[in-house]
Amino acid sequence: MHLGLVGLGKMGGNMRTRMRNAGITVVGYDRDPDLADVDSLEAMVAALPDDGPKVVWVMVPAGEATSSTIAALGELLGAGDIVVDGGNSKWTDDQAHADLLGGKDIGFVDCGVSGGVWGLENGYALMCGGSADHVSRVQPVFDALKPEGGGFVHAGATVGAGHFAKMVHNGIEYAVMQAFAEGYELLEAVDVVDNVVEVFDSWRTGTVIRSWLLDLLVAALEEDEGLSQLRGYAEDSGEGRWTVQAAIDHAVPLHVIASSLFARFSSRQDDSPAMKAIAAMRNQFGGHAVHTAPPAGGDAPDSGAAPDESH
């Protein structure tokens, strides 16, 4: 099978290698000429055989980059060809992309991909949406990318099902990571536990919370036990926000995932305005000496010891 692949970054480049190792002929295009096999989208499409449907996999950042790439492919591909969006697109964008291509009888499959930089070795979990016919035509590519024994699902015949499933996966990931992070902070905060890294390492075997994320956290702690080389700042890809918004739209309570998203926002504040407001209120109602003097009439001791907060 032949495939055109647009986007050869950290994941796209490794995906190209994994597919080639499985016997698929991949023609890759990237704006970085050092990564690309050809120098344009036009050259990539031209390099694909004409004796069957041409399949092009798009692996570029979500949003305008994906939309413009799909629009350009719509002008280059023909009836019966298929475009796969394997990026982290918002699931609500997929129908617009499918409609644009469908007007030219070009098929569309959305595919959520998980596996990160480890996917080359371990394979990629794949969640796709679209018609069974379109998915079946791309199945050899899915088989080459997925791990042995599983890792692939046709999430639904409705376009967007794959990216919706991947969005929820990433929301869960936010929550699990936050739980491990909070546990780490608590263990580090007490004097009674001497070997925090060893505690986490012990959980990797036989416990109900053993996981690949736990393995990765232990690896990071073994490289830098106090995580002193890192800043306590966590980005979000956008999918956590989309997950919470979808929950609001469907009246589904997502307490833990929403909390983990907001925790990431908190990480970006060197001097949290919210914590300043809390400190101000505590100072006002209880005269608590935090980082400011108590108000007139306040009786908080200079040591900062807090009186009873009941009121």
Side-chain angles (χ1 to χ4, degrees):
M1 181 174 180
H2 290 71
L3 178 81
L5 178 60
V6 184
L8 301 169
K10 292 179 181 178
M11 285 189 68
N14 283 344
M15 290 168 66
R16 174 176 60 177
T17 300
R18 185 172 175 89
M19 286 187 281
R20 285 177 172 172
N21 290 344
I24 293 176
T25 300
V26 181
V27 181
Y29 169 69
D30 193 280
R31 290 186 301 176
D32 183 345
D34 293 333
L35 302 175
D37 301 315
V38 292
D39 60 8
S40 66
L41 280 176
E42 292 82 358
M44 181 198 70
V45 172
L48 299 176
D50 294 321
D51 57 356
K54 295 186 177 184
V55 178
V56 176
W57 188 298
V58 178
M59 204 70 190
V60 300
E64 176 56 29
T66 294
S67 295
S68 61
T69 300
I70 289 174
L73 288 171
E75 299 298 321
L76 298 171
L77 297 172
D81 295 340
I82 297 175
V83 172
V84 181
D85 178 8
N88 281 333
S89 293
K90 191 173 184 180
W91 67 282
T92 51
D93 293 341
D94 291 323
Q95 190 59 59
H97 295 153
D99 290 343
L100 174 68
L101 297 173
K104 303 180 180 184
D105 200 23
I106 300 170
F108 178 80
V109 173
D110 63 285
C111 185
V113 181
S114 180
V117 296
W118 295 89
L120 173 59
E121 177 182 352
N122 299 333
Y124 300 87
L126 306 167
M127 297 144 269
C128 68
S131 75
D133 178 55
H134 292 157
V135 170
S136 67
R137 296 187 201 180
V138 190
Q139 194 64 52
V141 178
F142 297 141
D143 290 341
L145 289 172
K146 72 180 183 65
E148 290 186 19
F152 168 81
V153 62
H154 182 188
T158 301
V159 167
H163 281 144
F164 192 93
K166 176 58 165 41
M167 177 189 74
V168 175
H169 164 280
N170 280 26
I172 294 170
E173 177 188 296
Y174 277 45
V176 174
M177 292 172 68
Q178 184 66 24
F180 280 135
E182 291 177 6
Y184 168 74
E185 183 171 355
L186 180 57
L187 285 169
E188 286 284 6
V190 301
D191 295 330
V192 68
V193 177
D194 297 324
N195 303 309
V196 174
V197 179
E198 287 84 348
V199 168
F200 272 94
D201 189 44
S202 74
W203 293 346
R204 296 171 62 200
T205 307
T207 74
V208 296
I209 63 169
R210 62 188 184 274
S211 68
W212 187 37
L213 280 174
L214 179 58
D215 294 341
L216 295 175
L217 177 56
V218 171
L221 290 171
E222 288 177 343
E223 291 177 6
D224 180 11
E225 183 168 345
L227 302 179
S228 60
Q229 302 303 310
L230 299 176
R231 180 186 169 200
Y233 182 108
E235 272 291 2
D236 69 286
S237 65
E239 292 194 85
R241 304 183 191 208
W242 302 341
T243 306
V244 172
Q245 184 59 58
I248 293 170
D249 293 341
H250 294 276
V252 175
L254 247 62
H255 306 291
V256 176
I257 292 175
S259 179
S260 66
L261 173 64
F262 296 148
R264 294 202 181 187
F265 297 162
S266 295
S267 78
R268 301 167 200 177
Q269 299 174 331
D270 294 329
D271 194 8
S272 168
M275 291 302 104
K276 287 182 179 181
I278 289 173
M281 286 183 282
R282 292 180 75 250
N283 182 258
Q284 289 294 322
F285 73 67
H288 300 282
V290 223
H291 292 285
T292 185
D299 58 359
D302 291 340
S303 65
D308 185 356
E309 291 196 16
S310 62
H311 62 289

